[in-house]
Amino acid sequence: MTFIKRFDHVGITVADLDAATAFFVSLGLEADRKMAVEGEFLDTVIGMTGARTEIVMLRAPGGGTTLELSSFTRPDHLPSSPAPANALGLRNVAFEVHDLHAAVDHAAADGYGLVGGIGEYEGVWRMAYVRGPEGIIVSLAERIEK
């Protein structure tokens, strides 16, 4: 029996929702309006009492799986530090791009640098990890046309 119907979204908690949203929009995602969630539903799902969060859902221009950015106004955020690429847990959020070098240059102009370098996989993919806002690793990949 299969329980999963479809892949819906990936959620990332951030301290600065506006800055994180601007970063992903600058790469080409489209943002829905910011909305607040609080009450019994949220408290039940996350196992906390009196929680309040603001969220923005982002999607690629063609649709599909979404990215949920969330910032808690209650309770306060817990400190974290940027994890290296080999840390256990969610490693990165990945996007296929039209022009990898232009996307990397664009991110760098906004102050977001490469984790390593731009690599090429078997003549099929060119890929790089960019360290985005709040240490989020964003994988950008471009299919190499032959």
Side-chain angles (χ1 to χ4, degrees):
M1 178 176 200
T2 299
F3 295 99
I4 295 175
K5 187 173 179 179
R6 67 183 176 93
F7 196 122
D8 187 71
H9 74 275
V10 172
I12 301 174
T13 301
V14 299
D16 189 336
L17 185 58
D18 292 334
T21 300
F23 170 79
F24 286 105
V25 167
S26 79
L27 290 175
L29 294 183
E30 299 169 350
D32 291 345
R33 65 175 178 79
K34 186 189 306 183
M35 60 185 267
V37 179
E38 62 185 319
E40 183 180 347
F41 165 75
L42 181 63
D43 291 353
T44 299
V45 171
I46 68 170
M48 296 179 175
T49 302
R52 183 177 192 280
T53 186
E54 292 184 328
I55 66 169
V56 173
M57 300 301 288
L58 299 119
R59 68 189 84 259
T65 303
T66 57
L67 176 64
E68 175 192 82
L69 297 179
S70 174
S71 183
F72 282 82
T73 54
R74 291 188 314 260
D76 288 336
H77 297 105
L78 296 177
S80 68
S81 60
N86 66 338
L88 297 176
L90 181 65
R91 180 173 53 190
N92 66 72
V93 57
F95 300 99
E96 183 176 351
V97 297
H98 296 288
D99 183 338
L100 178 62
H101 289 284
V104 167
D105 290 345
H106 178 80
D110 287 340
Y112 303 108
L114 291 171
V115 171
I118 295 175
E120 191 172 301
Y121 181 73
E122 296 185 354
V124 178
W125 288 101
R126 202 173 284 122
M127 188 170 79
Y129 279 1
V130 172
R131 180 78 65 183
E134 301 185 41
I136 300 167
I137 296 177
V138 179
S139 174
L140 301 175
E142 175 185 16
R143 182 175 295 278
I144 298 170
E145 302 297 328
K146 296 191 180 216

